[in-house]
Amino acid sequence: MANSMNITLKVWRQAGPKAKGGFETYVVPEANPHMSFLELLDVLNEQLIKEGKEPVEFDHDCREGICGSCGVVIDGQAHGPQQRTACCQLHMRHYKDGDSIVIEPWRAEGFPIIKDLVVDRTSFDRIIAAGGYISANTGAAQDANSLPIAKADADLAMDFAACIGCGACVAACPNASASLFTAAKIAQLSLLPQGDPERKSRAIAMVDQMEQEGFGDCSNHTECEAVCPKGISVSAITKMRREYMKAVIG
Amino acid sequence: MSLSNVLRSPVGKKFVTGITGLGLVIFVLMHMIGNLSMFSGDDAYNEYAHFLASLGPLLYAVEAGLVLFFLFHAITGVRIWIGKRKARPQGYDMYRSAGSPSLQSSSSRSMAITGIILLVFTVFHLISFKFGPGGPGNGDPAYMTVIDGVEMRNLALLVREKFATTWYTLGYTAIMLLLVVHLRHGVWSALQSLGAMRPSITPAVYTIGGLLGLGIGLGFIAMPLALYLGWI
Ligand code: FES
């Protein structure tokens, strides 16, 4: 191919949750600028399969930046060098021929490695299950219009609802804190009348679950906002703190 | 939920570090301004120190509060630091910040270490000055003076002696620079921890917080440096 690129990948390989992992270096001679980052990994895997080696496991689904399945640390940055981009939407045109790239899984106690680059993110499911739901029956689509919500609140709630649960916030946080993920849901539902019945119990239960899952405490580095593919603001965390304090006080 | 559970929760820990941190910022600011009285002469400095000492019970109450603030701030900070080590047992081979809007910096990453150094310094600082010659339980007559007929401690003399030494002045300056580093992240972070921030004001507050820290640090350095250089 005309503009094919030779890319060297240093990839974390780990056979299983308890296995000792390590880096392996591979060369992909047939990469090209039009590929997404995950397609680069697909090409690597085809190479490995042809060589009779185990392909590299990585999570992915939609490949259009909306499902939150994908996520690896690329050259030290969660989802790679381009902000507001899940790694499935990162394209090789951001790299040059001859580049080498280090790929690691999310590293956190709350995200144990299953294999290679795949981590277990069910801790996020348990945080949501602890309180990230509403019990109010909101009816069918047309009923949405019968419960007016101020435009500013609706917009802000939508910003927080944009979380795709990929876990980049945890991966990039120097403390491996899940504050942004947890806070986004608490903040979103605190802005909407539908979230009102569980407003207090939600804040307490979700914060509690976040801690039980072994995530670290927030030190306000705000790295999470910089790597979030949806650009969710740390103002969610501010809101979570206010919601929590209000809930425990009264 | 009991108060101790609340204060131990992830949000509560931030609340504790935030409130105590802001309290300590106010303390170091007042302390720094008090130190500057040396520029008006030794008598002014001694009179200010005497005024504080003469507050009696009020001073003890403030001091007790400060000790509590220091302890809660330090213990919670260390617990956050231990928690962070547990939360990521295996670190990254390569790690880089994604840049703005991240406020991650050498300052934010070194809060525990700068904090511990500042705490240890504070203990030695109290031993040197507050409980030094002429201080409580150490009434050395050589460090007493009489101003306008009132006998009081000649703290200025002790300060002059200490900062006549090169290593002491340099060490003190270095520690105050660490305070600047600590406050660069600390002031903004305390307000964010208390839930007082909005995205629209964050950059301004971060800058003002950093400048406040710089001002406090430079203010602390000014007096010893002027003494050392013989300007006052
Ligand atoms: S694969 Fe769905 S967000 Fe990347």
Side-chain angles (χ1 to χ4, degrees):
Chain A
M1 182 178 286
N3 40 13
S4 96
M5 303 159 85
N6 188 311
I7 300 286
T8 304
L9 296 173
K10 191 176 151 194
V11 186
W12 182 263
R13 303 298 313 258
Q14 183 170 331
K18 298 253 178 295
K20 190 174 147 30
F23 283 98
E24 294 284 343
T25 303
Y26 307 105
V27 176
V28 181
E30 289 290 294
N32 76 62
H34 307 293
M35 284 176 174
S36 73
F37 196 83
L38 298 189
E39 282 165 339
L40 176 76
L41 293 181
D42 292 336
V43 172
L44 168 67
N45 279 345
E46 279 169 21
Q47 249 173 248
L48 291 176
I49 290 166
K50 272 186 205 144
E51 291 168 15
K53 294 183 187 153
E54 278 266 306
V56 177
E57 292 284 345
F58 61 95
D59 256 333
H60 59 97
D61 188 13
C62 71
R63 297 205 176 204
E64 54 184 15
I66 57 170
C67 76
S69 299
C70 65
V72 290
V73 172
I74 303 169
D75 282 341
Q77 293 176 324
H79 287 305
Q82 182 166 277
Q83 284 194 359
R84 302 219 175 182
T85 307
C87 63
C88 57
Q89 287 294 294
L90 174 67
H91 286 83
M92 293 309 295
R93 56 176 173 268
H94 299 290
Y95 292 90
K96 315 187 292 295
D97 183 31
D99 274 354
S100 38
I101 303 169
V102 180
I103 310 174
E104 290 179 79
W106 290 168
R107 294 199 189 277
E109 182 68 11
F111 288 163
I113 293 177
I114 298 173
K115 191 176 182 189
D116 296 336
L117 304 172
V118 179
V119 299
D120 179 352
R121 285 172 288 190
T122 50
S123 49
F124 269 14
D125 299 341
R126 289 186 291 273
I127 292 174
I128 293 294
Y133 54 81
I134 55 166
S135 61
N137 188 342
T138 54
Q142 78 274 14
D143 298 316
N145 295 327
S146 65
L147 193 60
I149 295 168
K151 170 90 168 110
D153 287 348
D155 284 351
L156 198 52
M158 192 64 208
D159 289 346
F160 295 136
C163 173
I164 53 176
C166 64
C169 44
V170 173
C173 175
N175 299 8
S177 167
S179 290
L180 190 61
F181 169 77
T182 309
K185 189 55 69 190
I186 293 175
Q188 175 208 337
L189 295 177
S190 78
L191 285 160
L192 301 171
Q194 292 88 341
D196 244 7
E198 295 88 12
R199 187 164 173 176
K200 288 182 176 173
S201 58
R202 172 183 307 116
I204 295 173
M206 288 184 74
V207 167
D208 200 37
Q209 190 65 35
M210 165 177 88
E211 189 182 23
Q212 282 178 33
E213 296 294 345
F215 294 109
D217 291 311
C218 173
S219 287
N220 300 323
H221 295 286
T222 69
E223 189 65 31
C224 49
E225 179 176 334
V227 298
C228 176
K230 301 297 154 189
I232 293 175
S233 162
V234 291
S235 64
I237 300 178
T238 326
K239 208 157 182 28
M240 168 175 79
R241 288 177 178 148
R242 288 201 294 261
E243 288 294 313
Y244 183 88
M245 287 321 262
K246 269 191 256 169
V248 293
I249 287 166
Chain B
M1 227 174 158
S2 75
L3 181 66
S4 79
N5 280 347
V6 170
L7 297 184
R8 268 196 287 252
S9 74
V11 173
K13 272 185 254 181
K14 296 312 295 174
F15 196 77
V16 170
T17 43
I19 284 275
T20 54
L22 284 186
L24 293 172
V25 168
I26 293 170
F27 163 67
V28 287
L29 179 65
M30 308 262 285
H31 186 336
M32 183 275 282
I33 293 171
N35 283 7
L36 295 179
S37 63
M38 192 72 146
F39 284 97
S40 311
D42 288 17
D43 283 0
Y45 185 78
N46 283 333
E47 278 174 318
Y48 176 65
H50 182 69
F51 160 73
L52 289 183
S54 65
L55 291 175
L58 186 62
L59 180 71
Y60 301 144
V62 171
E63 283 175 344
L66 277 173
V67 170
L68 282 181
F69 268 41
F70 262 105
L71 286 180
F72 270 94
H73 192 73
I75 291 169
T76 315
V78 167
R79 290 191 54 194
I80 291 171
W81 183 78
I82 293 172
K84 132 202 175 128
R85 312 271 306 182
K86 279 200 212 139
R88 181 169 293 133
Q90 172 157 24
Y92 290 104
D93 189 57
M94 189 175 187
Y95 178 84
R96 285 192 297 178
S97 169
S100 171
S102 171
L103 295 173
Q104 189 181 173
S105 63
S106 50
S107 162
S108 75
R109 290 176 72 87
S110 63
M111 293 303 274
I113 186 74
T114 50
I116 288 169
I117 295 173
L118 287 167
L119 183 66
V120 172
F121 161 80
T122 305
V123 173
F124 283 105
H125 185 69
L126 286 172
I127 295 171
S128 300
F129 291 101
K130 183 167 177 59
F131 299 102
N138 197 353
D140 188 336
Y143 290 90
M144 299 303 280
T145 183
V146 178
I147 300 171
D148 295 337
V150 184
E151 189 181 36
M152 60 183 73
R153 185 181 182 188
N154 193 352
L155 189 59
L157 176 65
L158 180 62
V159 172
R160 284 186 178 278
E161 282 175 2
K162 290 282 181 194
F163 291 112
T165 340
T166 307
W167 69 265
Y168 200 94
T169 311
L170 280 181
Y172 182 88
T173 304
I175 301 276
M176 289 308 111
L177 291 177
L178 287 185
L179 177 64
V180 174
V181 171
H182 195 77
L183 293 185
R184 177 182 166 213
H185 180 69
V187 176
W188 171 81
S189 180
L191 293 169
Q192 166 75 358
S193 292
L194 296 176
M197 279 297 104
R198 271 181 294 129
S200 54
I201 59 170
T202 292
V205 172
Y206 184 79
T207 308
I208 293 169
L211 289 176
L212 177 67
L214 187 66
I216 291 174
L218 294 182
F220 272 125
I221 293 169
M223 184 265 275
L225 202 66
L227 284 180
Y228 182 75
L229 297 174
W231 293 347
I232 52 172

